[in-house]
Amino acid sequence: RTPWNKGKLVGQKAPFKPKDVWAMRALMQRAHRTRELALFNLGIDSKLRGCDLAALKVRDIQHGAQIAPRAIITQHKTGRPVQFEITSPTREAVQAWMAEAGLKSDDYLFPSRVHRSPHICARQYARMLRGWVHDVGLDWTAYGTHSMRRTKAALIYRRTKNLRAVQLLLGHNKLEGTVRYLGIEVDEQDLLALLGQGARKVHRGGGLAAAPLLVGDRDGSHSSSPSWGSRMRPSRPANASEAQRPGVP
């Protein structure tokens, strides 16, 4: 029997580069593919898994007659809520698709054209993504639906180095999962682990102020944060003898 993965690239799928995102978006705009443009833009902005994105309802992202600038969705996989920003171009694309399809508040945002299914499935979303990738001349085997999920998260991490903010945006339970998901190099993972262990040991000994190593905005937005080293500040020694104790700065 032929293995299912023979001749295929397996493992983590790469995030899209900004130029690839713009190329796919421009292609859809020129072809007036309203539904696909709305799905693509919302997939990039929301960073949701395919199952969560496909099952969105109009009421999940709409306030009154307008698309909300932010939305909160409960993830199917973890049961945890995750918040995301909906940018102006995405709101315009989604609004145009809703008007074209005549969608109402209780309708699924991306209804299926198959009668037995109320909305598109994750597999259909993956097939549409494969077509987008092929249309701009990329190798479709190197990308998948998680490429959509990783694209904005990877860009935010490269700009801010704020793992905690990216963890909140992706809705991960553990910071280690975010490190693996972003595909950070092994030596950097080791550095993060060592810094975390060192900080906990020193903090138990009273040598560091009780401040988090990584901070993010309260809403998990994309603002930058100081680097690890700049967050670690020694507390003032209680007396002169403590200042001379080995291992305390």
Side-chain angles (χ1 to χ4, degrees), residues 107-240:
D107 294 335
Y108 284 100
L109 191 56
F110 302 106
S112 174
R113 294 170 181 171
V114 179
H115 295 296
R116 65 177 180 270
S117 178
H119 58 78
I120 64 172
C121 63
R123 183 168 294 183
Q124 174 63 17
Y125 172 46
R127 285 195 293 264
M128 296 169 70
L129 176 62
R130 182 183 300 181
W132 303 336
V133 172
H134 181 269
D135 288 345
V136 296
L138 297 176
D139 180 9
W140 65 267
T141 61
Y143 300 94
T145 55
H146 277 275
S147 298
M148 299 280 289
R149 182 163 154 81
R150 283 190 180 94
T151 295
K152 204 166 188 177
L155 182 62
I156 293 168
Y157 175 74
R158 282 199 298 268
R159 290 182 176 178
T160 67
K161 302 300 181 183
N162 191 336
L163 273 173
R164 174 59 178 164
V166 176
Q167 179 194 6
L168 294 175
L169 291 170
L170 292 173
H172 286 163
N173 293 327
K174 297 181 179 180
L175 194 63
E176 294 83 356
T178 305
V179 172
R180 290 193 299 269
Y181 193 78
L182 293 178
I184 298 175
E185 296 296 332
V186 176
D187 55 349
E188 189 169 354
Q189 290 188 38
D190 294 340
L191 177 62
L192 294 176
L194 289 172
L195 284 173
Q197 294 171 4
R200 287 192 293 271
K201 290 178 181 178
V202 178
H203 177 62
R204 285 196 293 269
L208 283 179
L213 293 180
L214 287 174
V215 296
D217 293 344
R218 285 183 297 177
D219 59 357
S221 59
H222 307 166
S223 62
S224 60
S225 68
S227 62
W228 285 68
S230 63
R231 293 294 303 171
M232 301 174 65
R233 292 289 184 268
S235 59
R236 182 176 298 177
N239 49 57

Side-chain angles (χ1 to χ4, degrees), residues 32-36 93-103 113:
H32 303 288
R33 289 146 65 173
T34 312
R35 182 180 75 149
E36 295 183 26
V94 172
Q95 196 80 50
W97 160 241
M98 288 170 51
E100 179 181 308
L103 300 178
R113 294 170 181 171

